[in-house]
C-alpha cells in the first residue's frame, strides 16, 4: 500500500498486514529479553495525542516507542489546550511545528485522525476514533490468533457484544476477513450495526448460534456507564442473555480461544470461570499490543521511503 | 557465474576453522556460535557439526537478526523483513563467535556486535566468515576465514546450498538473488 499513515484497516492489503504481523514476532521476542531496547528509532520523535482517556493503549504505544529508542511525548486532553478552546486543527498544527515523526491519535470523533493526517507532515496512527476504527487493536488480535492457531485462514471468529459502538469489532472484522477468516457478529438488536451486511459478516441477535463451532470467541466490553437503560434493560439481563460463561463456551470448538480487548466487566460480558481459564488469551493480547505497535511505528517512522 | 569455493573447498575450510575454534577455546564449554540471519545461520550450524564430528565437543548455536541495529535502518528499508533472533542462553561471560557467510563492508558485523550486547556482556567476541571479500568500511577483521578474495564492487558473492552442501559463487550485482541456505 502507499499510505504513510495507519488510519484504517482498509489502508492495508492482506500482504501488508502479514508483513507487519511477521515483523511483530521479532519485536515480541525483543520485549522478552532482559534488555528490552533496540536503537532503531534513535532520534525520532513520537507524540501520543489522546483526546480520550486510555491508560492501556497509551502505555502500549509509549512502551513500543521507547523500546525502539524513539523520544515519546504523551499529551492528554486534561492537560492540553483543547480545554482552553483550541481547535483540533490548531492543536495539531502547533504540534507539527515541533517536527514529530509520528503522531498517534485517539479521539472521540470518527475521522479525527484522518482529518489530522491531511494537515501534518508527521505519519499519523489511529489509536481509536469514535465509532470508526482501532486498527492496531485488530492487528494485535490477529497476532494473538496467529500465535494460538498458526493462521487465520478458514477460522470461524465470533465477535459478541456491543458491535454497533465498537471500533474494535469494526477493525477486527475487516482485518480477519482480509486474512481469510469468517466473522460472526452477535449482540442485542439494539447493538448491531444498522447495515451489518456492509461489513460482510454473518449477524446474529443471540450469542449461541455465533458460538457454535467457533475457533475464536471475542467478547466486547459493555460500556455500562454509557449504555445501561437505553440499549438494554439491565446489566443482569444482558449478562444472562449475552454473557460468556463456561457452559456457553462449550458450544465453541474444544480448542477455541477467548479474547477480550479489556478492561473486563467480570460477571457481565465475561464470567470468571472463562476469564481465568487457560482458554483466555487476554494477557497475550496485551503483550501482542506492544509488539504490533512497535512493528507499526518501525514501518512509519523508518524514514525516507518507508510505507506500510 | 564464477565459483569461488566448491563444495569440497567449503568443507575443507569449515573443517579447518572448526579445528581452530576448538583449539583456541579448549573444551568449548563457554562457547556460543551466533549466525547472522540469514546467510550466517547455515554456516554456524555446519561449524557446530564439524566441531562435534572432529573434536567431540557440543557447542551452543544461536541466530541473530540485525535489521533493528542497522546504521541505515531509518533510511534504506523499503520493505524490511525482520526475523526472530534466537539466542539459547545468556551471553554474559561467554565466548561468542559471530558467524556470517561473507564479510564485506563490516557494517553488518558492527550491527551484530551491538545486537549481541543486548543479550548480555560476553567475555570475548570473535568473527568468523566463510569468505572475506575485502572492501571494508569499518575497522573490523575476521578471526577465522576460509578464503580471502578480492571481488569487484559491481559483483556479489552468493553462498548456495545444494543437498545440504554449500558452495560460494560470484555473479553480477544485477543477477537475481538466491535465497541464502537455511
Amino acid at each position: 500500500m502507499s499510505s504513510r499513515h495507519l488510519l484504517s484497516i482498509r489502508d492495508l492489503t492482506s500482504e501488508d498486514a502479514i508483513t507487519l504481523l511477521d515483523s511483530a514476532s521479532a519485536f515480541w521476542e525483543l520485549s522478552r529479553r532482559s534488555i528490552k531496547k533496540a536503537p532503531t528509532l534513535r532520534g525520532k520523535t513520537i507524540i501520543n495525542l489522546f483526546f480520550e482517556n486510555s491508560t492501556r493503549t497509551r502505555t502500549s504505544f509509549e512502551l513500543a516507542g521507547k523500546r525502539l529508542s524513539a523520544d515519546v511525548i504523551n499529551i492528554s486532553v486534561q492537560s492540553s489546550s483543547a480545554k482552553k478552546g483550541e481547535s483540533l486543527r490548531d492543536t495539531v498544527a502547533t504540534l507539527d511545528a515541533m517536527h514529530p515523526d509520528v503522531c498517534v491519535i485517539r479521539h472521540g470523533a470518527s475521522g479525527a485522525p484522518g482529518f489530522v493526517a491531511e494537515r501534518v507532515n508527521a505519519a499519523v496512527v489511529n489509536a481509536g476514533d469514535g465509532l470508526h476504527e482501532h486498527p492496531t487493536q485488530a492487528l494485535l488480535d490477529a497476532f494473538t490468533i496467529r500465535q494460538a492457531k498458526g493462521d487465520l485462514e478458514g477460522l470461524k471468529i465470533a465477535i459478541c457484544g456491543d458491535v454497533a459502538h465498537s471500533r474494535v469489532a469494526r477493525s477486527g472484522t475487516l482485518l480477519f476477513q482480509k486474512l481469510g477468516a469468517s466473522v460472526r457478529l452477535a449482540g442485542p438488536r439494539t447493538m448491531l450495526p444498522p447495515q451489518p451486511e456492509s461489513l460482510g459478516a454473518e449477524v446474529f441477535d443471540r450469542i449461541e448460534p455465533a458460538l457454535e463451532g467457533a475457533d475464536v470467541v471475542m467478547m466486547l466490553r459493555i460500556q455500562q456507564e454509557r449504555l445501561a437503560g437505553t440499549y438494554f434493560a439491565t446489566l443482569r439481563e444482558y449478562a444472562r442473555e449475552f454473557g460468556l460463561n463456561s457452559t456457553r463456551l462449550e458450544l465453541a470448538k474444544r480448542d477455541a480461544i477467548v479474547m477480550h480487548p479489556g478492561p473486563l466487566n467480570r460477571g457481565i460480558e465475561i464470567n470468571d470461570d472463562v476469564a481465568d481459564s487457560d482458554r483466555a488469551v487476554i494477557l497475550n493480547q496485551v503483550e501482542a499490543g506492544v509488539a504490533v505497535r512497535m512493528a507499526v511505528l518501525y514501518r512509519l517512522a523508518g524514514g525516507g521511503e518507508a510505507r506500510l | 557465474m564464477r565459483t569461488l569455493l566448491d563444495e569440497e573447498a567449503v568443507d575443507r575450510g569449515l573443517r579447518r576453522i572448526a579445528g581452530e575454534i576448538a583449539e583456541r577455546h579448549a573444551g568449548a564449554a563457554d562457547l556460543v556460535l551466533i549466525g547472522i540471519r540469514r546467510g550466517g545461520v547455515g554456516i554456524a550450524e555446519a561449524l557446530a557439526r564439524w566441531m562435534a564430528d572432529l573434536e567431540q565437543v557440543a557447542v551452543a548455536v544461536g541466530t541473530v537478526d540485525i535489521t533493528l541495529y542497522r546504521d541505515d535502518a531509518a533510511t534504506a528499508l523499503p520493505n524490511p523483513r525482520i526475523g526472530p533472533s534466537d539466542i539459547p542462553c545468556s551471553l554474559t561471560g561467554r565466548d561468542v563467535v559471530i558467524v556470517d557467510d561473507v564479510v564485506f563492508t563490516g557494517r553488518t558485523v558492527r550491527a551484530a556486535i551491538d545486537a549481541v550486547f543486548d543479550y548480555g556482556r560476553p567475555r570475548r567476541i570473535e568473527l568468523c566468515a566463510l569468505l572475506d571479500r575485502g572492501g571494508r568500511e569499518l575497522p573490523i577483521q575476521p578471526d577465522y576465514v576460509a578464503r580471502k578474495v578480492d571481488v569487484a564492487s559491481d559483483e556479489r558473492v552468493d553462498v548456495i546450498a545444494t543437498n545440504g552442501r554449500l558452495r560460494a559463487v560470484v555473479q553480477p550485482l544485477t543477477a537475481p538473488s538466491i535465497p541464502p541456505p537455511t
Side-chain angles (χ1 to χ4, degrees):
Chain A
M1 79 153 223
S2 53
S3 174
R4 61 190 186 89
H5 309 290
L6 179 60
L7 303 173
S8 159
I9 289 298
R10 294 184 204 271
D11 292 343
L12 300 171
T13 63
S14 59
E15 205 173 59
D16 295 329
I18 297 278
T19 306
L20 276 174
L21 294 172
D22 284 345
S23 61
S25 9
F27 296 113
W28 186 88
E29 185 265 343
L30 192 153
S31 290
R32 289 206 159 196
R33 294 186 205 160
S34 58
I35 298 176
K36 304 170 186 58
K37 206 176 184 77
T40 321
L41 295 185
R42 202 164 58 91
K44 303 284 182 182
T45 305
I46 297 170
I47 294 184
N48 287 331
L49 184 56
F50 277 63
F51 291 88
E52 277 186 345
N53 262 331
S54 164
T55 311
R56 61 174 61 211
T57 305
R58 203 214 62 221
T59 308
S60 184
F61 269 108
E62 183 176 356
L63 268 182
K66 286 183 169 168
R67 287 187 180 164
L68 290 173
S69 304
D71 296 306
V72 183
I73 291 162
N74 296 310
I75 299 174
S76 69
V77 74
Q78 283 82 0
S79 59
S80 84
S81 317
K83 278 267 157 84
K84 301 176 190 165
E86 188 178 55
S87 68
L88 175 60
R89 186 178 190 153
D90 286 334
T91 304
V92 299
T94 305
L95 293 175
D96 200 42
M98 299 179 203
H99 304 292
D101 298 280
V102 181
C103 220
V104 177
I105 298 181
R106 164 162 295 196
H107 201 285
S110 306
F115 172 89
V116 171
E118 286 169 15
R119 288 164 176 81
V120 295
N121 291 313
V124 175
V125 179
N126 180 0
D129 61 333
L131 305 182
H132 178 224
E133 281 219 42
H134 192 356
T136 58
Q137 175 77 38
L139 286 164
L140 78 87
D141 289 336
F143 184 91
T144 307
I145 297 170
R146 274 175 31 128
Q147 270 188 326
K149 303 284 177 193
D151 190 4
L152 272 73
E153 185 74 47
L155 294 186
K156 297 186 180 73
I157 302 179
I159 304 180
C160 310
D162 184 7
V163 176
H165 297 92
S166 175
R167 52 200 178 204
V168 176
R170 180 163 295 95
S171 290
T173 303
L174 291 170
L175 181 62
F176 304 155
Q177 289 175 336
K178 220 176 263 253
L179 298 176
S182 62
V183 178
R184 303 148 165 193
L185 303 170
R189 275 186 209 173
T190 48
M191 293 182 168
L192 291 172
Q195 290 169 306
E197 60 281 0
S198 67
L199 283 169
E202 275 186 285
V203 179
F204 303 95
D205 60 6
R206 285 175 46 241
I207 188 171
E208 287 82 3
L211 293 181
E212 215 150 298
D215 300 279
V216 177
V217 180
M218 182 181 293
M219 301 307 296
L220 300 172
R221 175 183 158 74
I222 283 295
Q223 300 179 317
Q224 356 174 352
E225 61 283 2
R226 270 206 253 170
L227 303 177
T230 42
Y231 291 89
F232 52 90
T234 64
L235 285 173
R236 239 171 78 181
E237 185 194 287
Y238 182 85
R240 194 179 63 233
E241 298 298 322
F242 286 95
L244 185 66
N245 52 40
S246 53
T247 318
R248 271 200 178 125
L249 186 55
E250 279 174 26
L251 291 168
K253 284 216 182 117
R254 197 174 289 220
D255 61 349
I257 55 169
V258 176
M259 307 175 71
H260 191 296
L264 302 177
N265 291 310
R266 285 173 180 267
I268 302 175
E269 71 263 4
I270 190 164
N271 271 20
D272 288 349
D273 58 356
V274 176
D276 300 330
S277 74
D278 54 9
R279 313 281 288 276
V281 292
I282 297 164
L283 296 178
N284 305 46
Q285 291 174 268
V286 177
E287 185 175 9
V290 178
V292 155
R293 288 171 180 127
M294 287 171 82
V296 168
L297 293 175
Y298 172 62
R299 293 308 311 277
L300 294 180
E305 294 304 305
R307 292 285 188 273
L308 269 177
Chain B
M1 196 190 295
R2 181 171 99 239
T3 299
L4 282 178
L5 294 175
D6 61 15
E7 283 87 347
E8 291 301 322
V10 168
D11 282 351
R12 268 199 309 278
L14 291 181
R15 205 159 48 210
R16 173 171 57 74
I17 292 173
E20 285 174 23
I21 295 177
E23 193 181 335
R24 204 181 292 185
H25 302 269
D30 290 335
L31 185 64
V32 189
L33 303 180
I34 295 192
I36 300 179
R37 270 176 54 91
R38 287 151 61 200
V41 176
I43 313 266
E45 284 163 359
L47 277 173
R49 278 197 302 274
W50 281 118
M51 290 179 73
D53 277 6
L54 302 173
E55 312 284 339
Q56 284 78 48
V57 289
V59 52
V61 183
T63 61
V64 69
D65 187 285
I66 58 106
T67 315
L68 299 174
Y69 296 85
R70 288 170 61 128
D71 52 20
D72 56 357
T75 52
L77 295 171
N79 189 19
R81 294 212 167 269
I82 315 167
S85 295
D86 175 22
I87 308 286
C89 49
S90 164
L91 300 182
T92 300
R94 314 270 302 220
D95 289 348
V96 171
V97 178
I98 292 175
V99 182
D100 206 355
D101 50 357
V102 182
V103 54
F104 180 24
T105 62
R107 289 176 193 269
T108 301
V109 176
R110 198 281 309 159
I113 293 171
D114 276 358
V116 160
F117 270 102
D118 281 355
Y119 290 89
R121 183 177 184 272
R123 181 166 61 199
R124 176 186 296 127
I125 300 180
E126 293 175 325
L127 175 61
C128 167
L130 188 60
L131 279 161
D132 178 355
R133 63 167 285 185
R136 215 76 80 241
E137 294 167 3
L138 292 175
I140 281 171
Q141 301 305 333
D143 300 275
Y144 313 96
V145 63
R147 176 83 53 92
K148 193 171 184 327
V149 286
D150 281 322
V151 175
S153 58
D154 60 349
E155 291 180 315
R156 190 182 69 221
V157 179
D158 284 331
V159 176
I160 303 169
T162 345
N163 302 327
R165 300 188 73 193
L166 306 173
R167 66 198 161 93
V169 298
V170 179
Q171 40 188 356
L173 215 48
T174 50
S177 65
I178 299 162
T182 48

